[in-house]
Coordinates of all heavy atoms in Angstrom, one line a residue:
M29 N -69.3 65.5 -209.7 CA -70.6 64.8 -210.0 C -70.4 63.7 -211.0 O -69.7 63.9 -212.0 CB -71.6 65.9 -210.5 CG -72.0 66.9 -209.4 SD -73.1 66.1 -208.2 CE -74.7 66.2 -209.1
G30 N -71.0 62.6 -210.8 CA -70.9 61.5 -211.7 C -71.9 61.7 -212.9 O -72.8 62.5 -212.8
K31 N -71.6 61.1 -214.0 CA -72.5 61.1 -215.1 C -73.5 60.0 -215.1 O -73.2 58.9 -214.7 CB -71.7 61.0 -216.4 CG -70.9 62.3 -216.7 CD -70.2 62.1 -218.1 CE -69.3 63.3 -218.4 NZ -68.6 63.1 -219.6
F32 N -74.7 60.3 -215.4 CA -75.7 59.3 -215.5 C -76.1 59.1 -216.9 O -76.3 60.0 -217.7 CB -76.9 59.7 -214.6 CG -76.6 59.8 -213.2 CD1 -76.2 61.0 -212.6 CD2 -76.7 58.6 -212.4 CE1 -75.9 61.0 -211.2 CE2 -76.4 58.7 -211.1 CZ -76.0 59.9 -210.5
K33 N -76.3 57.9 -217.2 CA -76.8 57.5 -218.6 C -78.1 56.7 -218.5 O -78.2 55.8 -217.7 CB -75.7 56.7 -219.3 CG -75.6 56.8 -220.7 CD -74.4 56.1 -221.3 CE -74.1 56.6 -222.7 NZ -72.9 55.9 -223.2
V34 N -79.0 57.1 -219.2 CA -80.3 56.4 -219.2 C -80.3 55.4 -220.4 O -80.0 55.8 -221.5 CB -81.5 57.4 -219.4 CG1 -82.8 56.6 -219.4 CG2 -81.6 58.3 -218.2
I35 N -80.5 54.2 -220.0 CA -80.5 53.2 -221.1 C -82.0 52.6 -221.2 O -82.5 52.1 -220.2 CB -79.6 52.0 -220.8 CG1 -78.1 52.6 -220.7 CG2 -79.6 50.9 -221.8 CD1 -77.1 51.6 -220.2
D36 N -82.6 52.8 -222.3 CA -83.9 52.2 -222.5 C -83.7 50.7 -223.0 O -83.0 50.5 -224.0 CB -84.7 53.0 -223.6 CG -85.2 54.3 -223.0 OD1 -85.6 54.2 -221.8 OD2 -85.2 55.3 -223.7
I37 N -84.3 49.8 -222.4 CA -84.3 48.4 -222.8 C -85.7 48.1 -223.2 O -86.7 48.1 -222.4 CB -83.8 47.5 -221.7 CG1 -82.4 47.9 -221.3 CG2 -83.9 46.0 -222.2 CD1 -81.9 47.1 -220.1
D38 N -85.9 47.8 -224.5 CA -87.2 47.4 -225.0 C -87.3 45.9 -224.9 O -86.8 45.2 -225.7 CB -87.3 47.9 -226.5 CG -88.7 47.6 -227.0 OD1 -89.6 47.4 -226.2 OD2 -88.9 47.6 -228.2
L39 N -88.0 45.4 -223.9 CA -88.2 44.0 -223.8 C -89.5 43.6 -224.4 O -90.6 43.9 -224.0 CB -88.3 43.6 -222.3 CG -86.9 43.7 -221.5 CD1 -87.2 43.2 -220.1 CD2 -85.9 42.8 -222.2
Q40 N -89.3 42.8 -225.5 CA -90.5 42.2 -226.1 C -90.7 40.8 -225.5 O -89.9 39.9 -225.8 CB -90.4 42.1 -227.6 CG -90.4 43.5 -228.2 CD -90.3 43.4 -229.7 OE1 -89.6 42.6 -230.3 NE2 -91.2 44.2 -230.4
T41 N -91.6 40.7 -224.6 CA -91.7 39.5 -223.8 C -91.8 38.2 -224.6 O -91.1 37.2 -224.3 CB -92.9 39.6 -222.9 OG1 -92.9 40.8 -222.2 CG2 -92.9 38.5 -221.9
N42 N -92.5 38.3 -225.7 CA -92.7 37.0 -226.5 C -91.3 36.6 -227.1 O -91.0 35.4 -227.0 CB -93.6 37.3 -227.7 CG -95.0 37.4 -227.3 OD1 -95.4 37.0 -226.1 ND2 -95.9 37.9 -228.1
K43 N -90.6 37.5 -227.6 CA -89.2 37.2 -228.1 C -88.3 36.7 -227.0 O -87.5 35.8 -227.2 CB -88.6 38.3 -228.9 CG -89.3 38.5 -230.3 CD -88.5 39.6 -231.1 CE -89.2 39.7 -232.4 NZ -88.5 40.8 -233.2
L44 N -88.4 37.4 -225.9 CA -87.6 37.0 -224.8 C -87.8 35.6 -224.4 O -86.9 34.8 -224.1 CB -87.8 38.0 -223.6 CG -86.9 37.7 -222.4 CD1 -85.5 38.0 -222.7 CD2 -87.4 38.6 -221.2
V45 N -89.1 35.2 -224.3 CA -89.4 33.8 -223.9 C -88.8 32.8 -225.0 O -88.2 31.8 -224.6 CB -90.9 33.6 -223.8 CG1 -91.3 32.2 -223.8 CG2 -91.5 34.4 -222.6
D46 N -89.0 33.2 -226.3 CA -88.4 32.3 -227.3 C -86.9 32.2 -227.2 O -86.3 31.1 -227.3 CB -88.7 32.9 -228.7 CG -90.2 32.7 -229.0 OD1 -90.9 31.9 -228.4 OD2 -90.7 33.3 -230.0
K47 N -86.3 33.3 -226.9 CA -84.8 33.3 -226.7 C -84.4 32.5 -225.5 O -83.4 31.7 -225.6 CB -84.3 34.7 -226.5 CG -84.3 35.5 -227.8 CD -83.9 36.9 -227.6 CE -84.0 37.7 -228.9 NZ -83.7 39.2 -228.7
L48 N -85.1 32.6 -224.4 CA -84.8 31.8 -223.2 C -85.0 30.3 -223.5 O -84.2 29.5 -223.1 CB -85.7 32.2 -222.1 CG -85.3 33.6 -221.4 CD1 -86.4 34.0 -220.4 CD2 -84.0 33.5 -220.8
R49 N -86.0 30.0 -224.3 CA -86.2 28.6 -224.7 C -85.1 28.1 -225.5 O -84.6 26.9 -225.4 CB -87.6 28.4 -225.4 CG -88.8 28.5 -224.5 CD -90.0 28.0 -225.3 NE -91.2 28.6 -224.7 CZ -91.8 28.3 -223.6 NH1 -91.2 27.4 -222.8 NH2 -92.9 28.9 -223.2
A50 N -84.6 28.9 -226.5 CA -83.5 28.5 -227.3 C -82.3 28.3 -226.5 O -81.6 27.3 -226.6 CB -83.2 29.6 -228.4
I51 N -82.0 29.2 -225.5 CA -80.9 29.0 -224.6 C -81.0 27.7 -223.8 O -80.0 27.0 -223.6 CB -80.7 30.3 -223.7 CG1 -80.3 31.5 -224.5 CG2 -79.7 30.0 -222.6 CD1 -80.5 32.8 -223.7
S52 N -82.2 27.5 -223.3 CA -82.5 26.3 -222.5 C -82.1 25.0 -223.3 O -81.5 24.1 -222.8 CB -83.9 26.3 -222.1 OG -84.3 25.1 -221.5
N53 N -82.6 25.0 -224.6 CA -82.3 23.8 -225.5 C -80.8 23.6 -225.6 O -80.3 22.5 -225.5 CB -82.9 24.0 -226.8 CG -84.4 23.9 -226.8 OD1 -84.9 23.3 -225.9 ND2 -85.1 24.4 -227.8
Y54 N -80.0 24.7 -225.8 CA -78.6 24.6 -226.0 C -77.9 24.2 -224.8 O -77.0 23.3 -224.8 CB -78.0 25.9 -226.6 CG -78.3 26.1 -228.0 CD1 -79.1 27.1 -228.5 CD2 -77.6 25.3 -229.0 CE1 -79.3 27.3 -229.8 CE2 -77.9 25.4 -230.3 CZ -78.7 26.4 -230.7 OH -79.0 26.6 -232.1
T55 N -78.3 24.7 -223.6 CA -77.6 24.4 -222.4 C -77.9 22.9 -222.0 O -77.1 22.2 -221.5 CB -78.0 25.3 -221.2 OG1 -79.5 25.3 -221.1 CG2 -77.5 26.7 -221.4
S56 N -79.1 22.5 -222.3 CA -79.5 21.1 -222.1 C -78.6 20.1 -222.9 O -78.1 19.1 -222.4 CB -80.9 20.9 -222.4 OG -81.3 19.5 -222.2
A57 N -78.4 20.5 -224.2 CA -77.6 19.7 -225.1 C -76.2 19.7 -224.7 O -75.4 18.7 -224.7 CB -77.8 20.2 -226.5
L58 N -75.7 20.9 -224.2 CA -74.3 21.1 -223.8 C -74.1 20.2 -222.5 O -73.1 19.6 -222.4 CB -74.1 22.5 -223.5 CG -72.7 22.9 -223.0 CD1 -71.6 22.5 -224.0 CD2 -72.6 24.4 -222.7
A59 N -75.1 20.3 -221.6 CA -74.9 19.5 -220.4 C -74.8 18.0 -220.7 O -74.0 17.3 -220.1 CB -76.1 19.7 -219.4
D60 N -75.6 17.5 -221.7 CA -75.6 16.1 -222.1 C -74.2 15.8 -222.6 O -73.7 14.7 -222.3 CB -76.7 15.8 -223.1 CG -78.1 15.8 -222.6 OD1 -78.2 15.8 -221.3 OD2 -79.0 15.9 -223.4
E61 N -73.7 16.7 -223.4 CA -72.4 16.4 -224.0 C -71.3 16.4 -223.0 O -70.4 15.6 -223.0 CB -72.1 17.5 -225.1 CG -70.8 17.2 -225.9 CD -71.0 17.6 -227.4 OE1 -72.1 18.0 -227.8 OE2 -69.9 17.6 -228.0
L62 N -71.4 17.3 -222.0 CA -70.4 17.4 -221.0 C -70.4 16.1 -220.1 O -69.4 15.6 -219.7 CB -70.5 18.6 -220.1 CG -70.2 20.0 -220.8 CD1 -70.6 21.1 -219.9 CD2 -68.8 20.0 -221.2
E63 N -71.7 15.7 -219.9 CA -71.8 14.4 -219.1 C -71.2 13.3 -219.8 O -70.6 12.4 -219.2 CB -73.3 14.2 -218.9 CG -73.7 13.2 -217.8 CD -75.2 13.2 -217.6 OE1 -75.9 12.9 -218.5 OE2 -75.6 13.3 -216.4
E64 N -71.4 13.2 -221.1 CA -70.9 12.2 -222.0 C -69.3 12.2 -221.9 O -68.7 11.1 -221.8 CB -71.3 12.4 -223.4 CG -70.8 11.3 -224.4 CD -71.1 11.7 -225.8 OE1 -71.8 12.7 -226.1 OE2 -70.6 11.0 -226.7
I65 N -68.8 13.4 -221.9 CA -67.3 13.5 -221.9 C -66.8 13.0 -220.6 O -65.8 12.3 -220.5 CB -66.9 15.0 -222.1 CG1 -67.1 15.4 -223.5 CG2 -65.4 15.2 -221.7 CD1 -67.0 16.9 -223.8
D66 N -67.5 13.3 -219.5 CA -67.1 12.8 -218.2 C -67.0 11.3 -218.1 O -66.2 10.7 -217.4 CB -68.0 13.3 -217.1 CG -67.6 14.8 -216.7 OD1 -66.5 15.2 -217.1 OD2 -68.5 15.4 -216.1
K67 N -67.9 10.6 -218.8 CA -68.1 9.2 -218.8 C -66.9 8.5 -219.6 O -66.6 7.3 -219.3 CB -69.4 8.7 -219.4 CG -70.6 8.9 -218.5 CD -71.8 8.4 -219.2 CE -73.1 9.0 -218.7 NZ -74.2 8.8 -219.6
I68 N -66.4 9.2 -220.6 CA -65.5 8.5 -221.5 C -64.0 8.7 -221.0 O -63.6 9.8 -220.8 CB -65.6 9.1 -222.9 CG1 -67.0 8.8 -223.4 CG2 -64.6 8.4 -223.8 CD1 -67.3 9.5 -224.7
A69 N -63.4 7.6 -220.7 CA -62.0 7.6 -220.2 C -61.1 6.7 -221.0 O -61.6 5.8 -221.7 CB -62.0 7.2 -218.7
C70 N -59.9 7.1 -221.1 CA -58.9 6.3 -221.8 C -58.8 4.8 -221.3 O -58.7 4.7 -220.1 CB -57.5 6.9 -221.8 SG -56.2 6.0 -222.5
P71 N -59.0 3.8 -222.2 CA -58.9 2.5 -221.7 C -57.5 2.1 -221.2 O -57.4 1.1 -220.4 CB -59.3 1.6 -222.9 CG -59.2 2.5 -224.1 CD -59.3 3.9 -223.6
S72 N -56.5 2.8 -221.6 CA -55.1 2.5 -221.2 C -54.8 3.1 -219.8 O -54.2 2.5 -218.9 CB -54.1 2.9 -222.2 OG -54.4 2.3 -223.4
C73 N -55.0 4.4 -219.7 CA -54.5 5.1 -218.5 C -55.6 5.7 -217.7 O -55.4 6.2 -216.6 CB -53.5 6.2 -218.9 SG -54.3 7.6 -219.8
G74 N -56.9 5.7 -218.2 CA -58.0 6.2 -217.4 C -58.2 7.8 -217.4 O -59.1 8.3 -216.8
S75 N -57.3 8.4 -218.2 CA -57.4 9.9 -218.3 C -58.7 10.2 -219.2 O -59.2 9.4 -220.0 CB -56.2 10.5 -219.0 OG -55.1 10.3 -218.2
A76 N -59.1 11.5 -219.0 CA -60.2 11.9 -219.9 C -59.8 12.0 -221.3 O -58.6 12.4 -221.6 CB -60.7 13.3 -219.4
L77 N -60.6 11.6 -222.2 CA -60.3 11.6 -223.6 C -60.8 12.9 -224.3 O -61.8 13.5 -223.9 CB -61.0 10.4 -224.4 CG -60.4 9.1 -224.0 CD1 -61.2 8.0 -224.7 CD2 -59.0 8.9 -224.4
D78 N -60.0 13.4 -225.3 CA -60.5 14.5 -226.1 C -61.4 13.9 -227.2 O -61.1 12.8 -227.8 CB -59.3 15.2 -226.8 CG -58.5 16.0 -225.8 OD1 -59.1 16.4 -224.8 OD2 -57.4 16.3 -226.1
I79 N -62.5 14.6 -227.4 CA -63.5 14.0 -228.4 C -63.6 15.1 -229.5 O -63.8 16.2 -229.3 CB -64.8 13.8 -227.8 CG1 -64.7 12.9 -226.6 CG2 -65.8 13.3 -228.9 CD1 -66.0 12.8 -225.8
E80 N -63.4 14.6 -230.8 CA -63.6 15.4 -231.9 C -64.8 14.9 -232.7 O -64.8 13.7 -233.1 CB -62.3 15.4 -232.8 CG -62.4 16.2 -234.0 CD -61.2 16.0 -234.9 OE1 -60.9 14.8 -235.3 OE2 -60.5 16.9 -235.3
T81 N -65.8 15.7 -232.8 CA -67.0 15.2 -233.5 C -67.1 15.8 -234.9 O -66.9 17.0 -235.0 CB -68.2 15.7 -232.7 OG1 -68.1 15.2 -231.3 CG2 -69.5 15.0 -233.2
L82 N -67.3 15.0 -235.9 CA -67.4 15.5 -237.2 C -68.8 15.5 -237.7 O -69.5 14.5 -237.5 CB -66.5 14.6 -238.2 CG -65.0 14.4 -237.8 CD1 -64.4 13.4 -238.8 CD2 -64.4 15.8 -237.9
F83 N -69.2 16.6 -238.2 CA -70.6 16.7 -238.6 C -70.7 16.9 -240.1 O -69.8 17.4 -240.7 CB -71.3 18.0 -238.0 CG -71.5 17.9 -236.5 CD1 -70.5 18.4 -235.6 CD2 -72.6 17.4 -236.0 CE1 -70.7 18.3 -234.3 CE2 -72.8 17.4 -234.6 CZ -71.9 17.8 -233.8
A84 N -71.8 16.4 -240.7 CA -72.1 16.6 -242.1 C -73.6 17.0 -242.1 O -74.4 16.1 -241.7 CB -71.8 15.4 -242.9
D85 N -73.9 18.2 -242.5 CA -75.3 18.6 -242.5 C -76.0 18.4 -241.1 O -77.1 17.8 -241.0 CB -76.1 17.9 -243.6 CG -75.7 18.3 -244.9 OD1 -75.2 19.4 -245.1 OD2 -75.7 17.4 -245.8
D86 N -75.3 18.8 -240.1 CA -75.8 18.7 -238.7 C -76.0 17.2 -238.2 O -76.6 17.0 -237.2 CB -77.1 19.4 -238.5 CG -76.9 20.9 -238.6 OD1 -75.8 21.4 -238.3 OD2 -77.9 21.7 -238.8
I87 N -75.5 16.3 -238.9 CA -75.6 14.9 -238.5 C -74.2 14.4 -238.1 O -73.2 14.7 -238.9 CB -76.2 14.0 -239.6 CG1 -77.6 14.4 -239.9 CG2 -76.1 12.5 -239.2 CD1 -78.2 13.8 -241.2
I88 N -74.1 13.8 -237.0 CA -72.8 13.3 -236.6 C -72.4 12.1 -237.4 O -73.1 11.1 -237.6 CB -72.8 12.8 -235.1 CG1 -73.1 14.0 -234.2 CG2 -71.5 12.2 -234.7 CD1 -73.3 13.6 -232.7
I89 N -71.2 12.3 -238.1 CA -70.8 11.2 -239.0 C -69.6 10.4 -238.4 O -69.4 9.2 -238.7 CB -70.4 11.7 -240.4 CG1 -69.3 12.8 -240.3 CG2 -71.6 12.1 -241.2 CD1 -68.7 13.1 -241.6
Q90 N -68.9 11.0 -237.5 CA -67.8 10.3 -236.9 C -67.3 11.0 -235.6 O -67.4 12.3 -235.5 CB -66.6 10.3 -237.8 CG -65.5 9.3 -237.3 CD -64.3 9.3 -238.3 OE1 -64.4 9.8 -239.4 NE2 -63.2 8.8 -237.8
K91 N -66.9 10.2 -234.6 CA -66.4 10.8 -233.4 C -65.0 10.2 -233.2 O -64.8 9.0 -233.3 CB -67.2 10.5 -232.2 CG -68.4 11.3 -232.0 CD -69.1 11.1 -230.7 CE -70.3 12.1 -230.5 NZ -70.9 12.0 -229.2
N92 N -64.0 11.1 -233.1 CA -62.6 10.6 -232.8 C -62.3 10.9 -231.4 O -62.5 12.0 -230.8 CB -61.7 11.4 -233.8 CG -61.9 11.0 -235.2 OD1 -62.2 9.9 -235.6 ND2 -61.7 12.0 -236.1
F93 N -61.7 9.9 -230.8 CA -61.2 10.0 -229.4 C -59.7 10.0 -229.3 O -59.1 9.2 -230.0 CB -61.8 8.8 -228.6 CG -63.3 8.8 -228.6 CD1 -64.0 8.1 -229.6 CD2 -64.0 9.4 -227.6 CE1 -65.4 8.0 -229.6 CE2 -65.4 9.4 -227.6 CZ -66.1 8.7 -228.6
S94 N -59.2 10.8 -228.5 CA -57.7 10.7 -228.3 C -57.3 11.0 -226.9 O -58.0 11.8 -226.2 CB -57.0 11.7 -229.3 OG -57.4 13.0 -229.0
C95 N -56.2 10.4 -226.5 CA -55.7 10.6 -225.1 C -54.5 11.4 -225.2 O -53.6 11.1 -225.9 CB -55.5 9.2 -224.5 SG -54.7 9.4 -222.8
K96 N -54.4 12.5 -224.4 CA -53.3 13.4 -224.5 C -52.0 12.7 -223.9 O -50.9 12.9 -224.3 CB -53.5 14.7 -223.7 CG -54.2 15.7 -224.5 CD -54.4 17.0 -223.7 CE -55.3 18.0 -224.5 NZ -55.8 19.1 -223.7
K97 N -52.3 11.8 -222.9 CA -51.2 11.1 -222.2 C -50.6 10.1 -223.1 O -49.4 10.0 -223.3 CB -51.7 10.5 -220.9 CG -51.6 11.3 -219.7 CD -51.9 10.5 -218.5 CE -51.6 11.3 -217.2 NZ -52.0 10.5 -216.0
C98 N -51.5 9.2 -223.7 CA -51.0 8.1 -224.5 C -50.8 8.5 -226.0 O -50.1 7.8 -226.7 CB -52.0 7.0 -224.4 SG -52.4 6.4 -222.7
V99 N -51.4 9.6 -226.4 CA -51.4 10.0 -227.8 C -51.8 8.9 -228.7 O -51.2 8.6 -229.7 CB -50.0 10.5 -228.2 CG1 -50.1 11.4 -229.5 CG2 -49.4 11.4 -227.1
I100 N -52.9 8.2 -228.4 CA -53.4 7.2 -229.2 C -55.0 7.3 -229.2 O -55.5 8.2 -228.8 CB -53.1 5.8 -228.7 CG1 -53.4 5.6 -227.2 CG2 -51.6 5.5 -229.0 CD1 -53.5 4.2 -226.7
Q101 N -55.6 6.2 -229.7 CA -57.0 6.0 -229.7 C -57.8 6.8 -230.7 O -59.0 6.8 -230.7 CB -57.6 6.3 -228.3 CG -57.6 5.1 -227.4 CD -56.3 5.1 -226.5 OE1 -56.0 6.2 -226.0 NE2 -55.6 4.0 -226.4
S102 N -57.1 7.6 -231.6 CA -57.9 8.3 -232.5 C -58.8 7.4 -233.4 O -58.3 6.5 -234.0 CB -56.9 9.1 -233.4 OG -57.7 10.0 -234.2
G103 N -60.0 7.8 -233.5 CA -60.9 7.0 -234.3 C -61.6 5.8 -233.7 O -62.5 5.2 -234.2
L104 N -61.2 5.5 -232.4 CA -61.9 4.4 -231.7 C -63.3 4.8 -231.5 O -63.6 5.9 -231.1 CB -61.2 4.2 -230.4 CG -59.9 3.3 -230.4 CD1 -59.5 3.1 -228.9 CD2 -60.1 2.0 -231.1
D105 N -64.1 3.8 -231.7 CA -65.5 4.0 -231.3 C -65.8 3.4 -230.0 O -66.0 2.2 -229.8 CB -66.4 3.3 -232.4 CG -67.9 3.7 -232.2 OD1 -68.2 4.5 -231.2 OD2 -68.7 3.3 -233.0
L106 N -65.8 4.2 -229.0 CA -65.9 3.7 -227.6 C -67.4 3.8 -227.1 O -67.6 3.5 -225.9 CB -65.0 4.6 -226.7 CG -63.6 4.5 -227.0 CD1 -62.8 5.5 -226.1 CD2 -63.0 3.1 -226.8
E107 N -68.3 4.1 -228.0 CA -69.7 4.3 -227.5 C -70.4 3.0 -227.5 O -71.5 2.9 -227.0 CB -70.4 5.3 -228.4 CG -69.9 6.7 -228.2 CD -70.7 7.7 -228.9 OE1 -70.8 7.7 -230.2 OE2 -71.3 8.6 -228.3
K108 N -69.9 2.0 -228.2 CA -70.6 0.7 -228.2 C -70.2 -0.2 -227.0 O -69.2 0.0 -226.4 CB -70.2 -0.1 -229.5 CG -70.9 0.6 -230.7 CD -70.5 -0.1 -232.0 CE -71.0 0.7 -233.2 NZ -70.5 0.3 -234.4
Ligands
ZN19 ZN1 -54.4 7.3 -222.1

């Protein structure tokens, strides 16, 4: 005979909705960032660039781009 375990899940609907909204905000921001990454390609070889984002107090202060193939481009501002 198998063992059965009863798991009580206390769903507080209000908090669940808040949590889902928080997840939604993050996934939306993540999708935007992934879309941005897809757009940025190495000007020399066309490969996808690695992006290193530096934050200070949740504000982006610098983005560094680098190409694994060319091993260059660090610190280029390709967003302009
Ligand atoms: Zn490259």
Side-chain angles (χ1 to χ4, degrees):
M29 291 286 278
K31 288 184 181 174
F32 292 93
K33 212 172 196 178
V34 176
I35 301 171
D36 283 323
I37 299 173
D38 183 18
L39 286 182
Q40 291 183 316
T41 309
N42 288 342
K43 285 187 177 177
L44 182 65
V45 167
D46 287 344
K47 287 174 183 175
L48 287 174
R49 286 193 205 288
I51 291 168
S52 171
N53 286 339
Y54 282 111
T55 52
S56 177
L58 180 62
D60 288 347
E61 190 146 345
L62 292 176
E63 196 175 53
E64 179 189 357
I65 289 168
D66 282 341
K67 282 184 204 163
I68 300 172
C70 174
S72 300
C73 71
S75 294
L77 292 177
D78 287 337
I79 303 168
E80 180 187 54
T81 308
L82 303 176
F83 291 91
D85 295 328
D86 287 340
I87 295 167
I88 295 172
I89 55 169
Q90 189 181 347
K91 281 190 177 185
N92 294 325
F93 301 90
S94 61
C95 176
K96 278 182 185 163
K97 270 189 174 177
C98 305
V99 198
I100 52 163
Q101 275 95 41
S102 190
L104 278 186
D105 188 0
L106 299 174
E107 288 188 301
K108 288 176 185 170

